[in-house]
Amino acid sequence: TITPVVTAPGRATLTAAVSAAAARGVYRLTITGQSGELVRSRTVTLRVLAPGDPRFGVVVQPGHQLANQRQGVTAFVGVDSFGATGVITLGVSADPPLPAAFLFSTEVPLPGTTTLQVSTDCDTAPGDYNLTVTGTAEDGATASAGAVLTVQPFGSTATQHPSTDTPIAIPDCDA
């Protein structure tokens, strides 16, 4: 419901009631106002949480990156509040383990951001590495977000070669 009916210029309050049977998730609400033939709309989001759900969220962007052996990548880590306040303590893990994965800041006030730095070396096996950033609130609630790092052999490129007869130099990671 929106109350009161607004006479321009003016403001109103939107109240959204959610039943206990409502599914968790993010819902888009479109609010439309009309004055004569003039119509304006705005879309807002409503996040429905269940009892016990954390009142904050963690996001890692981009969700997938490529790196060659001996390269590093950075990613954005955001922490959003869904009613929580305070500081979120962040940690990062990689499966399988990587030589280095660290956050520039492990304590982020709500809402806030930090940067994730991941490094590989010659001993990092090519393949997919699952990164998980976990945030812990002062009340012990946790939320996580994941990303994937695909490691390619040292010297890999996406260059197309004209034929199979073209000599290709194979780089040595240990050189």
Side-chain angles (χ1 to χ4, degrees):
T1 61
I2 298 179
T3 56
V5 173
V6 179
T7 303
R11 292 177 176 247
T13 301
L14 170 66
T15 303
V18 179
S19 78
R24 288 182 179 134
V26 177
Y27 297 85
R28 295 173 56 92
L29 306 174
T30 301
I31 303 164
T32 303
Q34 182 174 353
S35 178
E37 295 198 18
L38 179 65
V39 178
R40 294 286 186 262
S41 295
R42 292 289 183 262
T43 300
V44 297
T45 57
L46 172 68
R47 180 177 300 275
V48 175
L49 301 172
D53 282 352
R55 299 299 188 236
F56 70 95
V58 178
V59 64
V60 179
Q61 293 176 335
H64 183 255
Q65 292 192 66
L66 296 174
N68 289 346
Q69 291 169 315
R70 288 188 11 188
Q71 285 184 329
V73 296
T74 59
F76 165 87
V77 177
V79 183
D80 292 321
S81 174
F82 310 140
T85 59
V87 174
I88 301 299
T89 301
L90 296 172
V92 61
S93 62
D95 182 30
L98 285 163
F102 68 92
L103 296 154
F104 279 60
S105 177
T106 58
E107 293 190 348
V108 178
L110 283 168
T113 63
T114 189
T115 301
L116 170 64
Q117 175 75 47
V118 179
S119 299
T120 67
D121 59 22
C122 284
D123 295 326
T124 305
D128 287 343
Y129 291 78
N130 296 304
L131 303 166
T132 303
V133 176
T134 301
T136 304
E138 294 165 349
D139 66 0
T142 62
S144 298
V148 175
L149 173 65
T150 298
V151 177
Q152 302 176 116
F154 178 77
S156 295
T157 66
T159 304
Q160 295 293 324
H161 296 283
S163 76
T164 56
D165 297 331
T166 304
I168 300 172
I170 301 173
D172 180 3
C173 188
D174 294 319

